[in-house]
């Protein structure tokens, strides 16, 4: 992504930044260094581990963003949090709300987009970085029509509120929530490094084919669980998935960065 962590035009004087789905807090800590004047919170459903590299302006909270800013109680990460997060303090006062890869963690995208819109100050930015699990060849032709495992997974995920093509749908959700000046940047998510143009993409592709199937294996078990499929069916689809995600020159998914601005007037233009 051109070595850019954030695509939104956030001033160095930003005061409040939220990262949703912060995971281990690596990106949150980096944001804290890039924006030393800002109060930065990373929010995740799981407890964020302690980080030695955490700047003093970075705090972590365990909770669900859809509940946290609806007034539901939240469990703070005692190892990292240095002050309480007051939802009212953030409503309409946030410079940036950012996420990367909520694809398997967000079950209500319209509510998420509207919550982010409410949190932002007029002129503040939302940045959604996410994936589509649609497979393409080197000519950008869709090649997954025969991937039964993928279609079953998408259908079961949709029944649970998940969108496994959420990267390309972020623009729609932002538009419906009232954002303006929406723009997107699309990047390759390569399945293998052979034939990729840069050393960065080659290394990333090799990483994906080594690690991503394990994540998909676990995600498939969670998404298909309780849907009436036998263990044998799920194991077969997990095996098919591992075959489908082997390295192949040109094979890729698409990763989309979508940036939108809250209108200065508070109304969509």
């Amino acid at each position: 992504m051109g070595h850019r962590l954030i695509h939104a035009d956030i001033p160095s004087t930003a005061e409040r930044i939220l990262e949703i789905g912060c995971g281990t807090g690596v990106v949150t800590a980096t944001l804290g260094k890039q924006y030393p004047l800002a109060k930065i919170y990373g929010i995740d459903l799981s407890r964020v581990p302690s980080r030695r590299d955490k700047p003093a302006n970075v705090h972590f909270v365990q909770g669900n963003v859809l509940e946290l800013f609806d007034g539901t109680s939240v469990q703070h990460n005692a190892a990292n949090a240095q002050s309480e997060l007051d939802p009212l303090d953030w409503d309409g006062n946030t410079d940036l709300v950012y996420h990367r890869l909520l694809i398997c963690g967000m079950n209500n995208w319209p509510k998420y987009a509207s919550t982010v819109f409410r949190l932002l100050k007029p002129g503040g930015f939302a940045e959604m970085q996410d994936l589509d699990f649609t497979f393409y060849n080197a000519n950008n032709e869709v090649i997954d029509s025969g991937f039964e495992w993928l279609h079953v997974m998408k259908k079961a995920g949709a029944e649970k509120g998940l969108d496994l093509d959420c990267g390309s749908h972020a623009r729609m959700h932002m538009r419906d929530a009232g954002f303006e000046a929406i723009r997107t940047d699309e990047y390759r998510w390569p399945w293998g490094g052979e034939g990729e143009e840069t050393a960065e993409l080659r290394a990333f592709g090799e990483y994906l084919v080594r690690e991503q199937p394990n994540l998909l294996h676990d995600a498939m078990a969670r998404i298909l669980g309780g849907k009436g499929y036998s263990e044998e069916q799920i194991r077969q689809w997990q095996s098919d998935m591992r075959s489908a995600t082997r390295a192949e020159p040109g094979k890729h998914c698409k990763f989309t960065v979508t940036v939108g601005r809250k209108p200065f007037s508070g109304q969509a233009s």
Side-chain angles (χ1 to χ4, degrees):
M1 300 194 301
H3 301 286
R4 289 184 295 171
L5 177 61
I6 299 295
H7 291 55
D9 299 321
I10 305 301
S12 60
T13 55
E15 297 177 344
R16 289 179 174 84
I17 295 174
L18 287 175
E19 184 191 3
I20 312 302
C22 65
T24 60
V26 173
V27 172
T28 323
T30 302
L31 289 172
K33 297 170 185 174
Q34 290 185 357
Y35 298 93
L37 301 180
K39 180 187 292 184
I40 299 175
Y41 271 85
I43 299 172
D44 200 271
L45 293 174
S46 301
R47 184 182 183 279
V48 181
S50 298
R51 301 194 59 85
R52 291 184 177 179
D53 63 343
K54 184 182 73 64
N57 62 330
V58 170
H59 314 279
F60 296 114
V61 171
Q62 182 179 353
N64 184 331
V65 64
L66 299 183
E67 299 172 351
L68 172 58
F69 294 100
D70 277 348
T72 303
S73 62
V74 62
Q75 177 184 347
H76 288 267
N77 183 340
N80 285 321
Q82 296 179 359
S83 63
E84 292 296 311
L85 187 153
D86 180 357
L88 294 178
D89 189 43
W90 292 78
D91 257 15
N93 292 317
T94 308
D95 294 277
L96 171 69
V97 181
Y98 163 90
H99 87 250
R100 178 183 292 182
L101 293 174
L102 286 183
I103 185 167
C104 288
M106 179 54 61
N107 62 5
N108 191 333
W109 285 98
K111 183 177 180 181
Y112 173 66
S114 62
T115 298
V116 170
F117 185 87
R118 192 185 76 244
L119 289 170
L120 291 169
K121 64 173 60 173
F125 288 92
E127 181 160 335
M128 302 182 183
Q129 300 187 3
D130 236 306
L131 183 65
D132 281 16
F133 267 122
T134 297
F135 288 73
Y136 300 85
N137 62 16
N139 297 320
N140 276 323
E141 299 166 330
V142 176
I143 58 172
D144 60 23
S145 60
F147 292 5
E148 182 183 24
W149 64 270
L150 181 60
H151 302 302
V152 169
M153 195 172 170
K154 285 185 176 183
K155 181 177 183 294
E159 292 171 356
K160 296 184 176 184
L162 302 177
D163 180 4
L164 298 189
D165 288 316
C166 59
S168 61
H169 295 160
R171 172 183 282 272
M172 172 186 68
H173 295 309
M174 282 194 185
R175 181 199 65 213
D176 292 346
F179 286 91
E180 66 177 13
I182 302 170
R183 60 183 176 86
T184 60
D185 291 287
E186 192 177 276
Y187 299 95
R188 291 170 59 85
W189 187 273
W191 293 95
E194 184 179 350
E196 295 301 324
E197 294 182 356
T198 67
E200 183 182 37
L201 277 176
R202 287 192 292 273
F204 184 51
E206 291 166 2
Y207 167 81
L208 286 178
V209 295
R210 184 174 65 249
E211 301 294 339
Q212 196 73 25
N214 296 327
L215 297 176
L216 281 172
H217 184 279
D218 294 341
M220 190 179 297
R222 292 195 305 271
I223 291 172
L224 298 185
K227 288 296 180 181
Y229 300 113
S230 68
E231 292 184 6
E232 182 179 358
Q233 282 178 304
I234 294 174
R235 282 196 299 269
Q236 182 60 57
W237 283 324
Q238 288 170 326
S239 176
D240 293 344
M241 174 274 296
R242 290 186 179 277
S243 297
T245 53
R246 289 173 182 162
E248 183 178 332
K251 183 167 66 181
H252 64 283
C253 294
K254 294 180 180 179
F255 182 86
T256 305
V257 175
T258 306
V259 176
R261 184 179 66 214
K262 183 173 182 174
F264 287 97
S265 64
Q267 301 292 327
S269 61

